[in-house]
Amino acid sequence: MTQLSLAQQFMLANLIVLAAGMLGAGWWLSEQTKQVVIGQVAAETALYVDTFIAQYLQGYQPTTALTSDQIAALDRVLIETPLRTRIVQFKIWDAAGRILYSNDHSLIGQSFPMKAELAQAVQGTVAADLSDLSDAENVAERERWTQLLEVYSPLKRSGAGQVVAVIEIYQTVDALNAALRQVQWAAWLALAIVTVAIYALLAVIVQRGSNTIARQ
């Protein structure tokens, strides 16, 4: 370091600062991009599945169980509707954290600790989470997948806006990860170009200043 000129020391310090700044900004931007993409997918999925699932829950009263006819109709949803190309599993929860419906019928009627995303949906907002399937109700899912996107969509009573149940949809993460990689690579590339441009501009300014001092 002592053999470097003052200009070279300054540019080396700037390189370190800019590189650290780029990494920090890149990490933050990646996380923000991830949340935005997940939010968009969640909103689209919630709107899509509400079209197919809500019709089977018409007349459902909170604190009651689903009828055998409703359960049988829901069993057919992933087989007979376009949902089979978008989701792999789904559950329906009441506002107290009890499972009203699941593809795994052994879970119907059981209660589990309420996750933050489920609680958010009970309040009327669509929520989503990239789950590692470590929760107690995910035993069946863990047998086939290591990670799934969980989307929680509130089912509201028509006219009143009251949330009577929450539909939880499970999606594979392949398409989501592909979209995330594309967006994040574009963001990193743009950030790298800006960082290099700033460093090059600083190098030109410092070199001119160094040359002026040397001539004087």
Side-chain angles (χ1 to χ4, degrees), residues 2 7 29 44 69 74-75 78 80 96 121 151-152 185 199 212:
T2 56
L29 189 60
E44 292 172 1
D69 288 341
L74 290 168
D75 283 339
L78 289 182
E80 300 177 356
V151 179
Y152 296 82
W185 271 111
Y199 183 78
T212 299

Side-chain angles (χ1 to χ4, degrees), residues 4-201:
L4 298 177
S5 68
L6 183 60
Q8 290 172 330
Q9 294 180 41
F10 179 79
M11 291 311 303
L12 179 60
N14 270 285
L15 178 61
I16 295 172
V17 170
L18 285 173
M22 184 187 74
L23 292 175
W27 176 85
W28 179 86
L29 189 60
S30 293
E31 288 300 308
Q32 294 301 310
T33 300
K34 178 179 176 180
Q35 295 305 316
V36 169
V37 172
I38 289 176
Q40 290 176 342
V41 171
E44 292 172 1
T45 302
L47 180 63
Y48 191 76
V49 300
D50 189 62
T51 304
F52 293 97
I53 297 179
Q55 59 181 311
Y56 300 109
L57 300 175
Q58 295 302 318
Y60 167 73
Q61 298 296 323
T63 72
T64 64
L66 297 182
T67 66
S68 58
D69 288 341
Q70 288 173 316
I71 291 175
L74 290 168
D75 283 339
R76 296 192 296 269
V77 166
L78 289 182
I79 301 173
E80 300 177 356
T81 72
L83 287 180
R84 66 181 181 274
T85 63
R86 296 185 63 115
I87 66 176
V88 294
Q89 295 271 52
F90 75 93
K91 296 184 178 83
I92 300 175
W93 301 77
D94 69 9
R98 178 170 59 104
I99 294 181
L100 300 172
Y101 174 83
S102 170
N103 300 82
D104 180 1
H105 284 196
S106 66
L107 294 177
I108 296 177
Q110 294 191 40
S111 296
F112 294 91
M114 187 171 292
K115 293 179 61 175
E117 292 79 14
L118 177 57
Q120 184 177 336
V122 168
Q123 297 301 315
T125 304
V126 174
D129 177 43
L130 274 176
S131 174
D132 61 4
L133 307 177
S134 60
D135 294 325
E137 88 262 10
N138 294 134
V139 173
E141 289 80 14
R142 283 198 297 271
E143 294 178 355
R144 297 184 58 188
W145 300 281
T146 57
Q147 187 182 52
L148 289 173
L149 174 63
E150 297 176 344
V151 179
Y152 296 82
S153 176
L155 177 67
K156 300 180 180 180
R157 188 183 303 281
S158 299
Q162 175 191 6
V163 176
V164 296
V166 172
I167 303 171
E168 180 186 10
I169 305 105
Y170 294 80
Q171 289 180 274
T172 57
V173 296
D174 297 339
L176 175 65
N177 286 338
L180 278 174
R181 282 194 296 270
Q182 184 177 4
V183 174
Q184 288 175 340
W185 271 111
W188 274 102
L189 179 60
L191 192 59
I193 291 173
V194 171
T195 301
V196 170
I198 292 174
Y199 183 78
L201 181 61

